[in-house]
Amino acid sequence: MNITARTSSNGVTERDFTVGDIPGVLWSPAATSGRLPLILMGHGGGTHKKAPAMTGRAGLLLAAGFAVAVIDAPGHGDRPRTAYDEEEIAVMQRAMATGEPVGPIVERYNGHLAKQAVPEWQATLDALRELPEIGSDGPVGYYGINMGTAIGVPLTAIEPRITAAVFGQFWPGTLVEAARRITVPIEFALQWDDEHIPREAGLALFDAFGSTEKTLHANAGRHKELPRFEADSAVRFFTRHFSKAMTPA
Amino acid sequence: MNITARTSSNGVTERDFTVGDIPGVLWSPAATSGRLPLILMGHGGGTHKKAPAMTGRAGLLLAAGFAVAVIDAPGHGDRPRTAYDEEEIAVMQRAMATGEPVGPIVERYNGHLAKQAVPEWQATLDALRELPEIGSDGPVGYYGINMGTAIGVPLTAIEPRITAAVFGQFWPGTLVEAARRITVPIEFALQWDDEHIPREAGLALFDAFGSTEKTLHANAGRHKELPRFEADSAVRFFTRHFSKAMTPA
């Protein structure tokens, strides 16, 4: 892991890093004693590691005593797009413009990205756990909605270091098999009136998780209207599951 | 309203009261300045106004700055059972013993009780709002699961003073029409593996609410396994909606 920039303000240290050619960011409380539980956050499609949804959620998690890491997904943020990325994005934009269903395209494209992103996350987690304030035996959670779920579900299915996860807002087609293998506690958010993801599809993905502890939060509203209070709920979910491992702030 | 007993301990004042022949209890912070937002709580079938679920939830609500009132439903707690009550309870117990579906019996019996309980709640609310620490213009919420939902849904549908409600775990048959008329924010809890209430039935009741702000919390587990953290969530729900009307504790 190369630390490429380090700043501290308002009690938070931000470190930009690379692991190989994967750019990421790690936020942690500037003053820490003891080891920090770590939340890996996956960003949504078309955004990046420091998009407002990421910095906003990170702020809530930091205030609750977590360290938070985000990496740019393949073809996103500071990473180059391949010809295949450009092609899929063009297909998606045409579908959006003509009102055709985007689901099959997003599922296919995000499934492609996940194949690359899962080992990238594993290498990143290896590197993060070499930092003394994270350590090799602390709890690790994963939090990602939309494309963050498309990548996070196959990651959590094969990564035993992740012991709690928050997902949401994706179709079941490409994820059901991996979801069945997940047995750690999960919280899953969907929008009851999602114009892209049919209600039954979202419910089917929630149903697929093998976890004995799982909670669905379904809110009235369209795809982009996921309420902000669901981010507070995600923080409480991680706090509930990791509280034994956490030192008081 | 007749106050029949009054005790204070640990910063909480408990008043037993009757409104006509309806026995109830009002809990409020012993030291209050200003008016208190009020939560009406409906107890479950076969229990009563001071059952552990009621005192537990009341404790969380009191700590958040609410006053809480519960009345015994007809045929419950300190109220006599009619011959009809005895008959329906016997039918229900036989169904439980033989493994037959209890849903149709509970829906019919609780629908019968609700017809009587709704005007009782309205008279109780009239009386409570004459108390100076409650007042006639403060926010009122309703919180009840199981039979508390069977009574609370028709109550909230016709009672404009109730402006937010938490419901859960009931069949849609007798409640859908009233649920459609409810437009205030609601939170609704169901159990994903409920052995009495089919999943589709619970989802149909949630879907029926006319509210633009509504949230479903579905947890893995059987009927009796509703997680305790859903009570914390209910308190946050009321705090979110009533916070403008609340003075800091």
Side-chain angles (χ1 to χ4, degrees), chain A residues 192 199 203 206-207 211-212 214-220 229-230 236 240, chain B residues 192 199 203 206-207 211-212 214-220 229-230 236 240:
Chain A
W192 198 243
R199 189 178 295 169
L203 293 172
F206 172 70
D207 193 44
S211 316
T212 52
K214 60 180 181 180
T215 302
L216 170 70
H217 284 184
N219 286 282
F229 57 73
E230 289 300 343
R236 283 191 301 270
R240 198 164 71 234
Chain B
W192 197 243
R199 189 178 295 169
L203 293 172
F206 172 69
D207 192 44
S211 316
T212 51
K214 60 180 181 180
T215 302
L216 171 71
H217 286 185
N219 286 283
F229 57 73
E230 290 299 343
R236 284 190 300 269
R240 198 164 72 233

Side-chain angles (χ1 to χ4, degrees), chain B residues 88-184:
Chain B
E88 286 287 55
I89 291 160
V91 171
M92 206 181 320
Q93 285 171 344
R94 273 198 301 276
M96 292 242 187
T98 60
E100 285 169 82
V102 295
I105 307 160
V106 177
E107 285 189 270
R108 176 182 67 211
Y109 179 46
N110 285 8
H112 166 83
L113 296 181
K115 283 196 180 67
Q116 186 178 343
V118 167
E120 290 175 352
W121 264 123
Q122 294 191 290
T124 302
L125 183 52
D126 291 344
L128 289 166
R129 282 161 69 106
E130 286 174 16
L131 296 172
E133 66 272 39
I134 305 292
S136 60
D137 56 0
V140 179
Y142 181 91
Y143 179 11
I145 309 294
N146 294 310
M147 191 179 77
T149 284
I151 290 170
V153 167
L155 171 65
T156 303
I158 63 154
E159 181 45 79
R161 293 173 291 185
I162 296 173
T163 56
V166 175
F167 299 124
Q169 297 199 272
F170 211 79
W171 299 261
T174 53
L175 297 183
V176 155
E177 289 305 318
R180 289 207 180 106
R181 291 197 297 275
I182 292 176
T183 57
V184 298

Side-chain angles (χ1 to χ4, degrees), chain A residues 74-76 79-92 109 112-113 116:
Chain A
H76 285 74
R79 304 181 68 178
R81 285 184 184 169
T82 63
Y84 178 79
D85 291 327
E86 299 287 4
E87 195 183 308
E88 286 288 55
I89 291 162
V91 171
M92 207 181 321
Y109 179 45
H112 166 83
L113 296 181
Q116 187 178 343

Side-chain angles (χ1 to χ4, degrees), chain B residues 75-99:
Chain B
H76 285 74
D78 295 330
R79 304 181 68 178
R81 285 184 185 171
T82 64
Y84 178 80
D85 291 327
E86 299 287 4
E87 196 183 307
E88 286 287 55
I89 291 160
V91 171
M92 206 181 320
Q93 285 171 344
R94 273 198 301 276
M96 292 242 187
T98 60

Side-chain angles (χ1 to χ4, degrees), chain A residues 31-52:
Chain A
T32 63
S33 60
R35 291 182 169 184
L36 295 164
L38 173 66
I39 307 300
L40 311 176
M41 290 202 311
H43 64 76
T47 76
H48 60 85
K49 63 184 176 305
K50 293 189 188 177

